[in-house]
Amino acid sequence: MSKSENTLLVLEAALERIAQGKPKRIPATRKLSVRAVEEEANLGNGSGYYYPEFVEKVKQVKADIAEARGEYVQPEIQSVRLKLNEQKRIKQNYKEKYKAIRDQLASFAAAQHHLNDKLVQALAKIDELEFENSSLKDRLSKLKRSTIAPIK
């Protein structure tokens, strides 16, 4: 027997122990994964991935265990689609919030511009009224001076 065949046998024996709920090296409460099987088989990290059929077998056993517990296991493509749809929904939500805030900012800028224009007009009117007031005071003082009669 070659080394790769021995490794595969050790991995399958570890998978069987985990599936039966009687692991030797890992806690029985640990989730089933290729890495958990590798640790149970006392092999290095990633050594199970050299055997793609073994990885599929682990996935199948994991689905069988979940099904035995009454849990529904979604196919991988379906779960990826659900995640994608969720990401699209979140992105759309952010786009809508961004657009609303951008519109609000444009409204604030327009209001600010309008208020600034009104301020400039009010300042111009104040200057005009102050000039008119000073000219009226000058006229009033001249009129009062002209009505003063000399004392004899």
Side-chain angles (χ1 to χ4, degrees):
M1 231 179 220
S2 70
K3 185 176 179 181
S4 85
E5 290 173 342
N6 285 339
T7 303
L8 188 56
L9 286 175
V10 171
L11 284 168
E12 287 180 356
L15 177 61
E16 190 61 35
R17 286 195 304 270
I18 293 173
Q20 291 173 359
K22 301 175 185 176
K24 293 179 183 176
R25 292 184 176 90
I26 64 169
T29 57
R30 184 168 173 182
K31 287 184 178 182
L32 177 61
S33 65
V34 176
R35 180 68 189 132
V37 176
E38 290 169 351
E39 286 182 17
E40 176 64 23
N42 202 23
L43 293 173
N45 190 5
S47 57
Y49 288 101
Y50 286 105
Y51 309 97
E53 65 281 348
F54 175 73
V55 174
E56 289 302 318
K57 187 174 182 180
V58 170
K59 288 180 183 179
Q60 183 60 44
V61 169
K62 187 175 182 178
D64 293 343
I65 291 172
E67 190 176 304
R69 291 182 186 157
E71 299 172 0
Y72 173 70
V73 179
Q74 294 179 343
E76 191 174 338
I77 187 81
Q78 190 175 4
S79 63
V80 170
R81 281 188 181 143
L82 287 175
K83 287 179 185 177
L84 178 65
N85 288 339
E86 179 67 13
Q87 289 173 355
K88 283 182 181 178
R89 185 190 64 77
I90 291 170
K91 188 175 182 181
Q92 184 64 31
N93 188 17
Y94 281 129
K95 280 183 180 179
E96 289 170 1
K97 286 181 181 178
Y98 173 77
K99 186 181 181 313
I101 290 173
R102 191 182 66 210
D103 292 345
Q104 188 179 20
L105 179 63
S107 172
F108 288 157
Q112 177 70 24
H113 181 70
H114 180 71
L115 290 174
N116 203 15
D117 187 46
K118 291 289 186 185
L119 178 63
V120 168
Q121 289 176 359
L123 289 174
K125 185 70 172 174
I126 288 171
D127 286 343
E128 181 183 319
L129 290 174
E130 284 177 349
F131 179 75
E132 185 180 343
N133 189 21
S134 67
S135 66
L136 287 174
K137 279 183 183 178
D138 288 343
R139 277 182 54 197
L140 180 64
S141 65
K142 284 180 185 176
L143 282 175
K144 282 184 178 179
R145 284 185 192 146
S146 67
T147 57
I148 296 176
I151 298 178
K152 293 186 189 182

